[in-house]
Amino acid sequence: MGRLSTHVLDTAQGRPAHDLRIDLYYLGERPGADVREHLGTFRTNEDGRTDTPLLAGDALRTGYFELAFHIGPYFSEQGLEQTNPSFLHTVPVRFGLADTAANYHVPLLASPYGYSTYRGS
């Protein structure tokens, strides 16, 4: 059975992002559907990962999802200088899951002024 996971790296400080809030939403079977179902709120551990998969087993379904990474509050708590309001507050990453038997890993590399993501393994 497949699973969905994430990993957040704080590229401004060169370390995993610890205690960063992440919200997971289901957006429906097709792009633009009027669905936004909140599936859970997670916090990253000292390794920048969640302690459990975001979705696994029967909870993993096909369709479109969004991970909302709350990096503005995270960087404020870290004491990093930011503009007011912060340039990046919440980073939404929208993606599709096509195979419930596959593993999907959505890492985020973030700083107060930029981010990147990709499908990891």
Side-chain angles (χ1 to χ4, degrees), residues 6-10 69 71 91 93 106-110 115-117:
T6 190
H7 185 199
V8 185
L9 297 174
D10 174 344
F69 297 91
I71 67 168
V91 172
V93 177
V106 183
L108 184 76
L109 290 78
Y115 64 92
S116 65
T117 188

Side-chain angles (χ1 to χ4, degrees), residues 1-4 53-62 99-103:
M1 295 226 164
R3 70 180 194 284
L4 172 64
L54 304 173
L55 293 174
D58 292 338
L60 191 66
R61 55 184 156 166
T62 60
D99 181 1
T100 59
N103 291 329

Side-chain angles (χ1 to χ4, degrees), residues 6-87:
T6 190
H7 185 199
V8 185
L9 297 174
D10 174 344
T11 58
Q13 299 183 93
R15 62 184 183 207
H18 174 249
D19 201 30
L20 183 134
R21 178 180 162 194
I22 304 166
D23 287 307
L24 173 64
Y25 298 92
Y26 176 69
L27 302 177
E29 285 289 323
R30 58 184 170 71
D34 277 339
V35 175
R36 193 160 196 260
E37 177 186 350
H38 185 255
L39 299 178
T41 298
F42 304 86
R43 291 268 179 188
T44 55
N45 59 25
E46 290 183 6
D47 194 33
R49 301 174 188 274
T50 57
D51 290 330
T52 61
L54 304 173
L55 293 174
D58 292 338
L60 191 66
R61 55 184 156 166
T62 60
Y64 291 91
F65 294 82
E66 176 182 302
L67 285 171
F69 297 91
H70 298 268
I71 67 168
Y74 164 79
F75 283 118
S76 289
E77 291 166 6
Q78 295 296 304
L80 289 175
E81 189 173 322
Q82 297 184 76
T83 59
N84 187 12
S86 60
F87 179 68

